[in-house]
């Protein structure tokens, strides 16, 4: 619908067992700021900007995949809509990398 949302703050609870932190349903509060996201007809697209000086797409993905998975989960919880794509935009490499 043409609406880009930037710097969306969130706080969500995730059961500890789902984060492999304990064998418990106690909630761990996860908070953060999603750099950018927008909605398309078939779901949400999440974008996270990285300023690391890393010049390897694989290393960036290995390092940040879990973070983007949690961000996608938070966005789904908050909007009740499916996140269909996750992207990292590397400022160093000046390119987008799909997760």
């Amino acid at each position: 619908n043409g609406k880009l949302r930037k710097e969306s703050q969130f706080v969500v609870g995730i059961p500890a067992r789902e984060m492999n932190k304990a064998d418990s349903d106690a909630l761990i509060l996860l908070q953060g700021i999603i750099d950018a996201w927008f909605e398309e007809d078939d779901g949400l697209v999440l974008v996270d900007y990285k300023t690391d000086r890393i010049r390897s797409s694989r290393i960036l993905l290995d390092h940040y995949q879990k973070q983007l998975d949690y961000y996608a989960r938070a966005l789904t919880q908050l909007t009740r809509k499916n996140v269909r794509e996750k992207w990292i935009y590397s400022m160093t490499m000046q390119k987008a990398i799909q997760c």
Side-chain angles (χ1 to χ4, degrees):
N1 62 13
K3 291 188 180 179
L4 173 67
R5 292 165 180 88
K6 296 188 257 180
E7 297 185 7
S8 299
Q9 295 181 356
F10 68 87
V11 176
V12 295
I14 298 177
R17 82 175 74 253
E18 292 181 28
M19 295 182 79
N20 296 320
K21 298 296 181 189
D23 187 21
S24 169
D25 287 325
L27 294 180
I28 294 176
L29 290 180
L30 179 67
Q31 67 178 6
I33 299 173
I34 297 170
D35 289 337
W37 64 277
F38 56 92
E39 186 173 354
E40 294 187 333
D41 292 338
D42 55 348
L44 306 178
V45 177
L46 171 65
V47 180
D48 197 51
Y49 299 100
K50 297 298 178 195
T51 58
D52 304 52
R53 293 180 185 239
I54 297 170
R55 296 196 175 275
S56 164
S57 298
R58 176 57 28 215
I59 292 172
L60 273 178
L61 287 172
D62 288 347
H63 192 73
Y64 290 110
Q65 181 71 52
K66 188 170 282 220
Q67 175 191 359
L68 266 69
D69 291 344
Y70 285 131
Y71 280 17
R73 181 176 178 155
L75 193 54
T76 296
Q77 282 184 3
L78 295 170
T79 64
R80 308 258 188 256
K81 297 181 180 182
N82 183 49
V83 174
R84 70 171 179 83
E85 289 183 23
K86 297 173 285 190
W87 291 85
I88 291 173
Y89 184 83
S90 168
M91 299 296 211
T92 299
M93 293 186 283
Q94 300 224 334
K95 76 176 194 176
I97 305 156
Q98 188 169 12
C99 298

